[in-house]
């Protein structure tokens, strides 16, 4: 269940970044650096919160380690896709 929530959150953050980037670029291109920094802060807070919740509710250390590895892979994949689409 937590893997589905993590995948949905990462997908949502990726879509928000791509759509927000297009919107900011169209209306105020000089604000792109602020937008990227704001999205980085939002991504960090949301992903760290989800990870902390999953660690809190996990039963074993092995389960936590497995989730952390999958989570990092999903995050790197999301960042690679979003940055390759917009930069």
């Amino acid at each position: 269940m937590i893997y589905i929530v993590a995948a949905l959150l990462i997908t949502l953050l990726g879509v928000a970044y791509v759509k927000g980037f297009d919107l900011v670029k169209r209306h105020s291109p000089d604000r792109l650096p602020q937008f990227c920094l704001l999205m980085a802060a939002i991504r960090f807070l949301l992903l760290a919160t989800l990870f902390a919740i999953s660690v809190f509710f996990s039963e074993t250390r092995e389960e936590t380690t497995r989730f952390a590895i999958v989570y990092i892979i999903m995050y790197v994949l999301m960042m690679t896709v979003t940055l390759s689409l917009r930069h």
Side-chain angles (χ1 to χ4, degrees), residues 2-45:
I2 194 72
Y3 293 105
I4 295 170
V5 172
L8 288 174
L9 179 64
I10 286 177
T11 303
L12 177 69
L13 288 172
V15 170
Y17 179 80
V18 170
K19 295 296 182 183
F21 189 89
D22 289 342
L23 184 71
V24 172
K25 188 174 183 179
R26 189 175 331 120
H27 293 290
S28 183
D30 57 325
R31 299 278 186 192
L32 280 175
Q34 288 92 354
F35 171 75
C36 290
L37 287 173
L38 179 65
M39 282 302 295
I42 290 170
R43 274 193 314 260
F44 177 76
L45 289 174

Side-chain angles (χ1 to χ4, degrees), residues 7 10 16 34 37 39 43 48 51 54 56 62-63 72 79 81:
I10 286 177
Q34 288 92 354
L37 287 173
M39 282 302 295
R43 274 193 314 260
F51 185 73
S54 71
F56 181 73
E62 181 180 298
E63 182 182 341
I72 290 169
M79 287 306 298
V81 169

Side-chain angles (χ1 to χ4, degrees), residues 47-67:
L47 295 176
T49 302
L50 181 65
F51 185 73
I53 290 170
S54 71
V55 168
F56 181 73
F57 286 114
S58 71
E59 306 256 336
T60 64
R61 181 183 170 117
E62 181 180 298
E63 182 182 341
T64 303
T65 305
R66 190 176 329 117
F67 179 72

Side-chain angles (χ1 to χ4, degrees), residues 69-86:
I69 291 169
V70 171
Y71 203 56
I72 290 169
I73 291 170
M74 286 191 299
Y75 181 77
V76 168
L77 180 65
M78 184 261 306
M79 287 306 298
T80 303
V81 169
T82 56
L83 290 177
S84 67
L85 286 174
R86 294 298 154 223

